[in-house]
Amino acid sequence: MTTAASHPPTASLSSAWSALPLEYAIPDHAPSLAEAREYCRWLARSHYENFSVASWFLPERLRQHFFNVYAYCRISDDLGDEVGDPAASLQLLDQWESELDACYDGHPRHPVFVAMAETVRAFEIPKHEFSDLLTAFRQDQTVSRYETFGDLLGYCQNSANPVGHLVLHVCGYSDAERQLLSDYTCTALQLANFWQDVSADFAKGRIYLPLEDLRRFGVSEQEIRDGQNTASFCAMMKFEVERAREWFAQGWPLIAKVDRSLATDIELFSRGGQEILNAIEGQKYAVLGRRPAISKPRKLTLVARAALGKLVRKRRERHG
């Protein structure tokens, strides 16, 4: 594990935390379990655009555990992406990992870890599923380009795939077959988000498009910087979109290998990711300066379709 001592301090930790919402800071004393649970519920619901649609389909007995996991992922992501100072982010991520260690050792202070300790015990979740995410967020502070698609997949292995593993664990699945299928879906979702946010990521100094692909299609970083949706750039994006579609297809069989409540969520997120790819295609792959988005009516259609799929699966089970 990387320790706080590994990164020379450039500012006090209190100063680094001040760049984030006040509620994120680690308190001097641990809250009660009830207070910690409420904190996680509040954080998840305050980011409703990311969470509430999925929570409609979750069994009531699992919702608090999903709130806990979501709260961990939300704050971890913000520690890496919202501080604005790589050195400060590295210090905060180290302190956050110390709280993760405390969670597994039985004495955390932050409400996320007080609540999550209950989830960890209930489903025997390995610590690395949480710490792998921190590895990816640290990587974002020091790596801004990926030479090959394989290098990018290595990043997704830590940045996206652990989220799928955590969901499977909470739903009672820990086998390698389902985790592999989940990896395909989570990586595909990550790729779809990368292709959607090329301009936004470049503004942060990052390019997730493999450099080998830029060279193959004759695309320069200057074109991305200037927002030039050239024919070469659009041809490259078409290639990347089709590659992401292949990863979605490889993960699709997972839907048939889990219970219907989780299957509904997986189908919803998979179709949502594919709709992002459809939106990119719909604007002829010209994503620079114009972020592709899913319309609200289309989102509602996806939810209705997922709900219908749940009913169909339920009828099939009922009738053998």
Side-chain angles (χ1 to χ4, degrees):
M1 187 193 81
T2 306
T3 63
S6 302
H7 302 126
T10 58
S12 68
L13 282 173
S14 59
S15 174
W17 280 107
S18 68
L20 297 163
L22 293 176
E23 308 83 38
Y24 282 16
I26 300 173
D28 292 331
H29 304 287
S32 68
L33 178 57
E35 291 169 334
R37 288 172 174 167
E38 178 55 35
Y39 177 96
C40 293
R41 286 195 295 271
W42 164 79
L43 187 61
R45 287 168 175 162
S46 68
H47 292 77
Y48 64 91
E49 72 281 2
N50 294 322
F51 192 86
S52 68
V53 170
S55 70
W56 293 347
F57 302 108
L58 293 173
E60 179 66 33
R61 63 185 174 81
L62 296 180
R63 286 184 186 172
Q64 182 64 55
H65 295 296
F66 274 97
F67 290 146
N68 301 344
V69 169
Y70 177 86
Y72 171 81
C73 294
R74 175 75 271 160
I75 294 181
S76 298
D77 186 42
D78 286 351
L79 291 177
D81 222 29
E82 300 297 329
V83 177
D85 178 347
S89 282
L90 289 171
Q91 292 181 64
L92 294 180
L93 287 166
D94 287 342
Q95 190 178 31
W96 194 241
E97 186 157 13
S98 294
E99 274 293 291
L100 176 62
D101 292 339
C103 174
Y104 275 80
D105 293 339
H107 54 273
R109 286 182 294 146
H110 196 282
V112 165
F113 293 102
V114 172
M116 207 170 72
E118 183 178 47
T119 302
V120 166
R121 288 192 300 269
F123 302 102
E124 300 180 346
I125 303 175
K127 188 196 294 186
H128 76 84
E129 301 290 14
F130 295 102
S131 62
D132 284 352
L133 286 169
L134 303 185
T135 297
F137 298 141
R138 288 191 183 97
Q139 188 170 328
D140 272 333
Q141 311 313 310
T142 58
V143 178
S144 61
R145 304 290 188 276
Y146 292 86
E147 178 61 32
T148 69
F149 185 63
D151 293 335
L152 186 62
L153 292 180
Y155 172 77
C156 293
Q157 182 177 345
N158 290 322
S159 68
N161 298 356
V163 177
H165 294 181
L166 290 170
V167 169
L168 287 173
H169 277 294
V170 172
C171 291
Y173 303 108
S174 58
D175 58 285
E177 179 190 11
R178 289 183 178 86
Q179 286 190 354
L180 177 59
L181 292 172
S182 171
D183 290 348
Y184 285 126
T185 298
C186 290
T187 291
L189 285 167
Q190 180 83 86
L191 294 176
N193 286 323
F194 285 156
W195 309 158
Q196 181 184 36
D197 289 325
V198 176
S199 290
D201 288 331
F202 189 84
K204 298 175 183 177
R206 301 170 189 161
I207 294 179
Y208 291 104
L209 291 159
L211 299 183
E212 64 179 2
D213 294 345
L214 268 67
R215 291 193 298 270
R216 173 183 172 185
F217 287 90
V219 176
S220 69
E221 289 194 20
Q222 187 67 43
E223 291 172 54
I224 299 175
R225 178 179 294 106
D226 295 341
Q228 297 177 359
N229 289 294
T230 63
S232 296
F233 176 82
C234 293
M236 178 184 64
M237 290 307 305
K238 181 178 182 181
F239 169 77
E240 303 296 0
V241 164
E242 292 307 314
R243 182 148 62 179
R245 290 191 198 280
E246 293 172 1
W247 283 75
F248 274 120
Q250 291 183 84
W252 192 257
L254 179 61
I255 295 172
K257 295 180 180 293
V258 297
D259 66 58
R260 62 175 178 264
S261 58
L262 180 56
T264 301
D265 282 339
I266 294 171
E267 179 179 348
L268 183 60
F269 283 112
S270 294
R271 291 193 185 280
Q274 291 175 72
E275 282 298 317
I276 292 174
L277 300 180
N278 291 341
I280 294 173
E281 182 180 9
Q283 60 189 58
K284 301 185 185 305
Y285 307 99
V287 300
L288 297 178
R290 183 185 167 201
R291 185 179 188 267
I294 307 173
S295 68
K296 187 172 182 180
R298 188 57 187 153
K299 288 180 181 178
L300 293 174
T301 300
L302 291 173
V303 173
R305 185 172 180 175
L308 180 61
K310 181 177 181 179
L311 290 174
V312 170
R313 283 188 289 271
K314 189 173 183 180
R315 284 181 60 114
R316 285 175 181 167
E317 291 173 7
R318 190 174 294 162
H319 296 287

